[in-house]
Amino acid sequence: MLLLQAVLLLLALPSHGQDSTTESPGVLIPAPKGACAGWIAGIPGHPGHNGTPGRDGRDGTPGEKGEKGDAGLVGPKGDTGETGVTGAEGPRGFPGSPGRKGEPGEGAYVYRSAFSVGLEGRVTIPNVPIRFTKIFYNQQNHYDSTTGKFRCNIPGLYYFSYHITVYMKDVKVSLFKKDKAMLFTYDQYQDKNVDQASGSVLLHLQVDDQVWLQVYGDGDHNGLYADNVNDSISTGFLLYHDTN
Ligand SMILES: *[C@@H]1O[C@H](CO)[C@@H](O)[C@H](O)[C@H]1NC(C)=O
Ligand SMILES: [Ca+2]
C-alpha cells in the first residue's frame, strides 16, 4: 500500500515538472481568473530524484528452434551378447580327392609261396626225387632244383599238380610228403604213342615239410619224358596260410 502511494506520487511529480520545462520561460500563461490575478511565474523547481527501478517485465515469447548440433563421440564398447541358437545343419559337401596310394604291405610278400618247374630231359633213375630244372617260376626259392624238393616256409594249405608226358615206357609216379607217398599216378605206355599222366592234390604243410615227385614201384616205370615241344611240369602254391 505504501509502495503504491509512492509510485503514484512519482508519476504525479514529473507531470508537473514537465509542464514547467516544456513551456518556454517568459511565455505568458493566461492568468487564471480569480483571487490570484496578476501573479508572476516563479523560478522552475529542481528536477526530481530518479525513481526506484520498475518491476521485472513479463516473460518473452520462446525463441526459434536452433540448428541441429554435431554428432556426439562414439560411446564405449558394449557387453558381449548371449550366444545365439545353433543353426540348422548345412548341406553335404563335395567328396574329397582320393588320397595317395599306400606303401606295399610287408605281409603281402611274407605269405607268398609258389613254384612251377619242368623237366628238361628224360628221367632215367627211379626211386629218387625227380629233378625239375626248367624254371617257370620260383620267386621265393622254396623249391630247390638241386634236390627236386619243395620245402614249406609258411604253414598252411598247399595245392600241388603235375602234368607228365609219357614216352617209351609206363609211368608210375608218386607225390611224396615227408618220405611218404601221398598220391599215385599210373600210365601204361602204348607203342608208337605219346601219353600224358597228371595228378593234383591239396596238402596241409608245416614249416620244413618237404614235397616232391618220385617214380615208385619195383619195375622199370620211369617213362617220364620231355623235349622242346613236350613238357612235363610240376606246380605248387600256397592256397591259405595258417592264421594262428
Ligand atoms: C613232341 O610233340 C611233337 C608235336 O608237338 C611231336 O612232333 C614230337 O614227335 C613229340 N616228341 C616225341 C618224342 O614224340
Ligand atoms: Ca596210356
Side-chain angles (χ1 to χ4, degrees):
M1 194 56 149
L2 191 66
L3 183 65
L4 182 64
Q5 285 176 339
V7 168
L8 289 172
L9 182 67
L10 284 164
L11 288 170
L13 284 171
S15 159
H16 179 72
Q18 196 173 37
D19 288 348
S20 308
T21 51
T22 53
E23 289 164 8
S24 303
V27 173
L28 289 175
I29 297 168
K33 305 211 171 11
C36 294
W39 63 278
I40 299 165
I43 302 164
H46 296 289
H49 300 291
N50 288 334
T52 51
R55 289 186 297 166
D56 290 343
R58 283 180 292 176
D59 290 343
T61 53
E64 286 181 46
K65 189 174 182 183
E67 288 178 39
K68 185 173 177 149
D70 297 327
L73 297 173
V74 176
K77 189 181 167 105
D79 297 328
T80 303
E82 286 179 39
T83 306
V85 182
T86 304
E89 191 176 338
R92 187 182 173 90
F94 294 110
S97 50
R100 280 193 307 121
K101 191 176 179 182
E103 299 293 319
E106 207 176 344
Y109 179 78
V110 169
Y111 297 117
R112 279 181 187 172
S113 183
F115 71 95
S116 193
V117 293
L119 280 183
E120 289 185 292
R122 291 195 66 175
V123 171
T124 52
I125 311 167
N127 299 311
V128 293
I130 300 166
R131 288 179 55 230
F132 295 85
T133 53
K134 184 178 180 179
I135 309 298
F136 296 105
Y137 182 89
N138 191 25
Q139 189 77 47
Q140 297 82 36
N141 276 306
H142 294 170
Y143 168 77
D144 185 351
S145 63
T146 62
T147 62
K149 292 181 177 180
F150 169 80
R151 181 186 293 273
C152 173
N153 283 248
I154 303 161
L157 187 66
Y158 286 79
Y159 177 80
F160 296 97
S161 72
Y162 49 88
H163 299 274
I164 290 165
T165 300
V166 182
Y167 187 56
M168 302 280 275
K169 294 178 183 175
D170 291 354
V171 162
K172 281 187 177 178
V173 70
S174 268
L175 185 135
F176 279 70
K177 170 191 167 184
K178 289 169 67 177
D179 297 323
K180 187 185 177 207
M182 308 292 290
L183 194 64
F184 301 89
T185 300
Y186 175 42
D187 181 77
Q188 288 180 300
Y189 176 70
Q190 282 190 298
D191 200 21
K192 297 185 177 65
N193 240 325
V194 175
D195 289 353
Q196 275 77 37
S198 62
S200 62
V201 68
L202 288 171
L203 294 174
H204 184 265
L205 303 182
Q206 303 291 347
V207 171
D208 286 342
D209 283 353
Q210 290 179 299
V211 173
W212 68 92
L213 284 174
Q214 185 172 306
V215 173
Y216 73 92
D218 297 328
D220 189 11
H221 297 127
N222 56 347
L224 284 80
Y225 177 83
D227 61 26
N228 288 343
V229 286
N230 300 273
D231 277 304
S232 290
I233 65 167
S234 175
T235 296
F237 55 84
L238 174 64
L239 187 61
Y240 303 121
H241 68 87
D242 290 349
T243 50
N244 49 10

